[in-house]
Amino acid sequence: MELHQLRYFVAVADSGGFSKAARICFVAQPSLSQQIIKLEKELGQRLFERLGRTSVLTEAGRALLPRARLILKEAGDIKSGISDDLGSGAGQLSVGLIPTIAPYILPGVLKRFYESFPKARISVNENLTERLIKSIIGLEIELAVMSLPIEDKLIRMEPLFEDPLVLAISPVHELAKSEHVTIEDLRGIPFIALDEEHCLGEQINNFCYERQINPDIVCRTWNLSTIQHCVSFGSGVSLVPKMLVMTDVSNKCVYRPIKGQSPKRTVVAAWHRDRKLSKLAAEFIQIVKDEYAYLLETRSYEGSGNVSPIIANF
């Protein structure tokens, strides 16, 4: 019995299908299926009933699932625990970040991390929230930096900071003349939206919906960098996270805070509820907090395009 077989088994059980599990585990479906078959032969029990594209646990599968989770957890704890016991700062750390956070905070975080732990090695999985949660549950990564909401009961979280959203505008746009804009100003003007597969895209949509604002979405895209370029060319306006503003040195966009009840997202560190974080993971969490605080202190005015100074008062 191999650990990767148990990891594949848990992925199929959680996702309800072999195709989804293969995507989560980043393996070809035939390879995953073969490993499940080998596991079933070794145990002498059928673990899944295949009902079309859906796979349902058999009685034997239900009995194995909690044991498999425990074995994978212990395997992960052994790996991180040995590194901690060495006490030298050496060790392996696997983390995840969502794509609307990683580009803006990860470079500074890695620099700080390696200055403190030069012997450590870190692997980063930049992915969507749903996939990172699967990776946490499957013990493929130790923790992830994401934003709320996260509703999985197997996930434990620690709030890191609040990241406000600001309006990105072309320098020649009429709204660029104002130090503040209101949510009402979004009515009837072209809007560049982030795809709803991103939790940030969904959060922005919900914010507008709750205030009965239906932006005139002329383009929906996957990447915040694409949004910046479209905005700079005058194709529309958009809501973007402040951490993007604090790391923008292009001077191609103007950024304005939303007056009144401004939108924001809560960024958290998330990990498996049954897993004790390694010392490296705990240090990584603190470094993320420190890096965002540093950006707030040093980049609120600098490197943010034509930013209203009031943006620093969020």
Side-chain angles (χ1 to χ4, degrees), residues 242 246 295-302 304 307-308 311-312:
K242 187 176 181 182
M246 294 188 294
L295 290 175
L296 277 178
E297 182 179 349
T298 62
R299 302 286 186 88
S300 290
Y301 304 100
E302 302 173 6
S304 304
V307 182
S308 165
I311 200 172

Side-chain angles (χ1 to χ4, degrees), residues 8-312:
Y8 295 166
F9 164 73
V10 171
V12 176
D14 287 340
S15 65
F18 280 62
S19 296
K20 290 182 180 179
R23 289 195 296 270
I24 292 170
C25 296
F26 299 101
V27 296
Q29 182 180 336
S31 298
L32 183 141
S33 298
Q34 288 175 5
Q35 293 302 318
I36 295 295
I37 291 172
K38 287 182 180 180
L39 181 60
E40 289 178 326
K41 287 182 177 179
E42 183 172 351
L43 295 174
Q45 299 285 344
R46 192 173 181 85
L47 300 175
F48 295 99
E49 292 290 347
R50 281 76 165 178
L51 306 175
R53 295 184 178 181
T54 302
S55 297
V56 180
L57 286 169
T58 62
E59 184 175 352
R62 289 193 295 272
L64 174 62
L65 184 58
R67 293 174 172 84
R69 291 194 194 279
L70 181 61
I71 291 170
L72 292 172
K73 172 185 175 299
E74 292 294 336
D77 288 347
I78 288 172
K79 186 176 180 179
S80 60
I82 290 174
S83 298
D84 286 347
D85 291 342
L86 293 175
S88 63
Q92 298 281 341
L93 177 63
S94 297
V95 301
L97 295 94
I98 56 176
T100 58
I101 290 178
Y104 314 111
I105 203 167
L106 183 60
V109 167
L110 287 182
K111 182 176 184 296
R112 290 171 179 265
F113 185 84
Y114 282 123
E115 286 174 350
S116 299
F117 305 100
K119 296 181 180 180
R121 291 296 176 264
I122 185 168
S123 61
V124 178
N125 180 357
E126 184 178 345
N127 222 320
L128 297 174
T129 298
E130 181 180 355
R131 295 176 184 174
L132 291 180
I133 289 175
K134 294 288 187 183
S135 294
I136 291 173
I137 294 174
L139 303 177
E140 296 170 4
I141 59 176
E142 186 168 356
L143 77 149
V145 178
M146 303 182 286
S147 65
L148 297 180
I150 300 171
E151 299 177 351
D152 197 296
K153 295 180 180 179
L154 292 176
I155 301 298
R156 180 175 295 176
M157 292 168 285
E158 177 182 332
L160 301 180
F161 50 82
E162 300 284 343
D163 188 33
L165 305 181
V166 300
L167 191 67
I169 323 166
S170 165
V172 298
H173 196 282
E174 185 69 22
L175 291 177
K177 300 176 183 178
S178 303
E179 287 190 342
H180 288 94
V181 295
T182 68
I183 194 67
E184 294 292 331
D185 291 325
L186 297 183
R187 292 186 186 275
I189 61 175
F191 191 86
I192 312 296
L194 187 65
D195 193 280
E196 289 185 5
E197 277 202 64
H198 289 280
C199 57
L200 178 59
E202 184 177 1
Q203 290 160 4
I204 292 172
N205 283 351
N206 290 340
F207 176 81
C208 293
Y209 177 79
E210 289 168 0
R211 287 150 186 81
Q212 298 182 334
I213 301 294
N214 295 313
D216 180 16
I217 298 176
V218 295
C219 176
R220 192 180 294 277
T221 183
W222 179 259
N223 194 290
L224 284 173
S225 295
T226 304
I227 288 178
Q228 278 182 290
H229 287 299
C230 291
V231 168
S232 70
F233 275 82
S235 302
V237 304
S238 190
L239 288 170
V240 298
K242 187 176 181 182
M243 64 171 59
L244 176 153
V245 179
M246 294 188 294
T247 56
D248 180 12
V249 295
S250 68
N251 292 313
K252 292 182 178 180
C253 293
V254 171
Y255 303 99
R256 294 292 182 260
I258 303 294
K259 188 176 181 180
Q261 190 177 1
S262 61
K264 59 184 177 181
R265 60 177 177 172
T266 301
V267 176
V268 301
W271 64 94
H272 197 292
R273 70 178 185 187
D274 296 328
R275 187 170 194 171
K276 179 182 178 182
L277 287 180
S278 65
K279 292 180 181 178
L280 287 179
E283 291 291 343
F284 184 88
I285 290 173
Q286 185 58 50
I287 288 172
V288 171
K289 293 179 181 178
D290 293 343
E291 177 64 15
Y292 189 81
Y294 170 78
L295 290 175
L296 277 178
E297 182 179 349
T298 62
R299 302 286 186 88
S300 290
Y301 304 100
E302 302 173 6
S304 304
N306 300 304
V307 182
S308 165
I310 300 176
I311 200 172

